[in-house]
C-alpha cells in the first residue's frame, strides 16, 4: 500500500514540474519552510522536525526560535546536515530594551555562540521591535539602526555569516528604509528578506517599490495577503499574493521562496502542505 506521504510527494512533484515556465523558481529545491519551530501544535523535537522536512521533500529550511530552543539548536542543525538539509538562515530579534551596540541580550548572545560552536555559516535575518526607533526622527532612526546593523555585521563576519534585513513592520519594516541602511554600510554584503505576511500595509504601493528592492532581495517568504488584516492567511486564500508574486518575477526575481508555517494551533506539516498546494494554484 502506498503511504499518504508518498502520495503527497508524488502530487507535489507533478504540480511543480508541469509546464514550469519560471526556470525552476518553484521547484522543491528552491523552496524552504519558514516559521516552523515555535509554530507547531505538535511541538516536534529536532529529530521529528527534520524527519518531517525530509518526508515533505524539502532540501533547506530557515530556523526561527525562542529561548527554550537554545539548548537543542546545535543538535538540530547537525541532524539537518546528516539528512542533507541546509539551514538557509537563522533569525534574530532586536529589542531596544536589552539589545545594544556592543552587547546583545543573553539569548541572542547564546545564538551567536551556538552558530560558532556548530560552525554553521549561514544568513542571519534581523528583525527589529518597533521600540528600536520609537520617537526618533527619520535621520535619527537611520543613524541608530545603521549602527546596530554595522555591529551585527561585524559579529556575523567573525562567524562567516551574512546579515539580511527582515521586514517586520513600522519604520524598520519599510523596504526603502532598509535599502537606505544598506547604502549607508557599503563595506558589507547585506540583503533583504521580504515577507508577504508583513506586507498588509504596503499592498497599495508594492508595485512602486518592488523593482527597486529586487537587487537586494535574497529571499521572499510567501503567504496569503489581505489588505488591512494582520491575520496569517494561507497561500491562495488572499486577494493580492498572486499579483504580488507575478510582479516579483516580472521584475527579475530569481532567488528562493519561503513556505510559511506560523500557526501555533495546528500541525505545521499540514500547514506547509496547504501552502504548497496554494503556491501551485497561484504560480
Amino acid at each position: 500500500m502506498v503511504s499518504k506521504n508518498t502520495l503527497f510527494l508524488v502530487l507535489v512533484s507533478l504540480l511543480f514540474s508541469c509546464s514550469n515556465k519560471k526556470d525552476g523558481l518553484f521547484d522543491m529545491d528552491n523552496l524552504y519552510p519558514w516559521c516552523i519551530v515555535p509554530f507547531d501544535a505538535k511541538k516536534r523535537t529536532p529529530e521529528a522536525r527534520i524527519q518531517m522536512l525530509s518526508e515533505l521533500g524539502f532540501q533547506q529550511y530557515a530556523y526561527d526560535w525562542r529561548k527554550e530552543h537554545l539548548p537543542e539548536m546545535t543538535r538540530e542543525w547537525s541532524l539537518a546536515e546528516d539528512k542533507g538539509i541546509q539551514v538557509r538562515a537563522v533569525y534574530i530579534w532586536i529589542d531596544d530594551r536589552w539589545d545594544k551596540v556592543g552587547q546583545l541580550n543573553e539569548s541572542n548572545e547564546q545564538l551567536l555562540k551556538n552558530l560558532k560552536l556548530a560552525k554553521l555559516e549561514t544568513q542571519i535575518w534581523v528583525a527589529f521591535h518597533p521600540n528600536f526607533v520609537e520617537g526618533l526622527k527619520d535621520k535619527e532612526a537611520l543613524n541608530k539602526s545603521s549602527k546596530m546593523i554595522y555591529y551585527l555585521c561585524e559579529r556575523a563576519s567573525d562567524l562567516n555569516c551574512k546579515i539580511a534585513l527582515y521586514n517586520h513592520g513600522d519604520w524598520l519594516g519599510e523596504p526603502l528604509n532598509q535599502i537606505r541602511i544598506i547604502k549607508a554600510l557599503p563595506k558589507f554584503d547585506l540583503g533583504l528578506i521580504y515577507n508577504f505576511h508583513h506586507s498588509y500595509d504596503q499592498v497599495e504601493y508594492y508595485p512602486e517599490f518592488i523593482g527597486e528592492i529586487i537587487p537586494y532581495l535574497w529571499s521572499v517568504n510567501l503567504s496569503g495577503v489581505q489588505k488591512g488584516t494582520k491575520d496569517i492567511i494561507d497561500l491562495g486564500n488572499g486577494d493580492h499574493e498572486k499579483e504580488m508574486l507575478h510582479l516579483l518575477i516580472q521584475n527579475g526575481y530569481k532567488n528562493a521562496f519561503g513556505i510559511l508555517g506560523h500557526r501555533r494551533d495546528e500541525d505545521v506539516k499540514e500547514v506547509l502542505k496547504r501552502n504548497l498546494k496554494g503556491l501551485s494554484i497561484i504560480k
Side-chain angles (χ1 to χ4, degrees), residues 32-46 48-54 56 58 60-66 69 72 76 85-86 89 91 125 166 258-264 266-273 275:
Y32 59 89
W34 172 232
C35 290
I36 66 168
V37 179
F39 299 97
D40 182 7
K42 288 203 167 184
K43 298 186 182 298
R44 285 176 169 83
T45 63
R49 189 158 36 252
I50 297 305
Q51 181 61 32
M52 173 193 72
L53 297 180
S54 181
L56 290 176
F58 288 108
Q60 56 181 327
Y61 76 124
Y63 187 90
D64 58 332
W65 57 279
R66 300 294 183 266
H69 301 110
E72 63 190 32
E76 176 157 340
I85 296 173
Q86 177 192 5
Y91 182 75
W125 293 353
Y166 181 102
I259 303 299
L260 203 63
H262 214 303
R263 296 290 182 87
R264 295 184 188 278
E266 292 190 58
D267 177 353
V268 74
K269 185 176 185 178
E270 299 306 314
V271 179
L272 292 173
K273 285 182 178 181
N275 279 316

Side-chain angles (χ1 to χ4, degrees), residues 149-197:
I149 293 299
Y150 186 100
Y151 170 65
L152 291 173
C153 284
E154 288 192 318
R155 297 291 302 272
S157 179
D158 290 340
L159 303 168
N160 291 320
C161 293
K162 292 184 177 182
I163 295 293
L165 306 181
Y166 181 102
N167 67 307
H168 202 284
D170 302 289
W171 190 94
L172 280 155
E174 289 292 334
L176 296 184
N177 287 336
Q178 294 177 326
I179 290 177
R180 291 168 66 200
I181 295 171
I182 290 175
K183 289 181 176 179
L185 302 172
K187 173 181 176 181
F188 300 105
D189 181 14
L190 284 158
L192 297 181
I193 310 301
Y194 192 75
N195 299 276
F196 275 23
H197 63 294

Side-chain angles (χ1 to χ4, degrees), residues 3-20:
S3 70
K4 290 182 179 179
N5 281 329
T6 300
L7 287 172
F8 175 75
L9 288 174
V10 170
L11 175 60
V12 167
S13 177
L14 288 172
L15 287 171
F16 286 96
S17 63
C18 290
S19 62
N20 185 1

Side-chain angles (χ1 to χ4, degrees), residues 4-5 7 9 21 26 34 41 45 52 79 139-140 160 175 202 234-235 243 253-254 274 282-283:
K4 290 182 179 179
N5 281 329
L7 287 172
L9 288 174
K21 300 178 181 178
F26 303 118
W34 172 232
T45 63
M52 173 193 72
L79 291 166
K139 288 185 179 180
E140 294 171 333
N160 291 320
Q202 300 166 353
D234 288 344
L235 266 176
E243 177 186 358
Y253 181 77
K254 297 182 183 299
R274 289 203 308 269
I282 68 169
K283 72 187 182 72

Side-chain angles (χ1 to χ4, degrees), residues 47-103:
E47 290 80 4
R49 189 158 36 252
I50 297 305
Q51 181 61 32
M52 173 193 72
L53 297 180
S54 181
E55 290 173 355
L56 290 176
F58 288 108
Q59 299 173 33
Q60 56 181 327
Y61 76 124
Y63 187 90
D64 58 332
W65 57 279
R66 300 294 183 266
K67 186 175 182 179
E68 63 266 25
H69 301 110
L70 286 165
E72 63 190 32
M73 272 183 189
T74 57
R75 184 171 95 253
E76 176 157 340
W77 298 339
S78 178
L79 291 166
E81 183 179 12
D82 291 344
K83 279 282 190 178
I85 296 173
Q86 177 192 5
V87 181
R88 180 179 182 85
V90 298
Y91 182 75
I92 192 168
W93 175 249
I94 301 298
D95 189 312
D96 194 51
R97 289 171 291 183
W98 37 69
D99 290 304
K100 309 296 180 184
V101 172
Q103 183 63 56

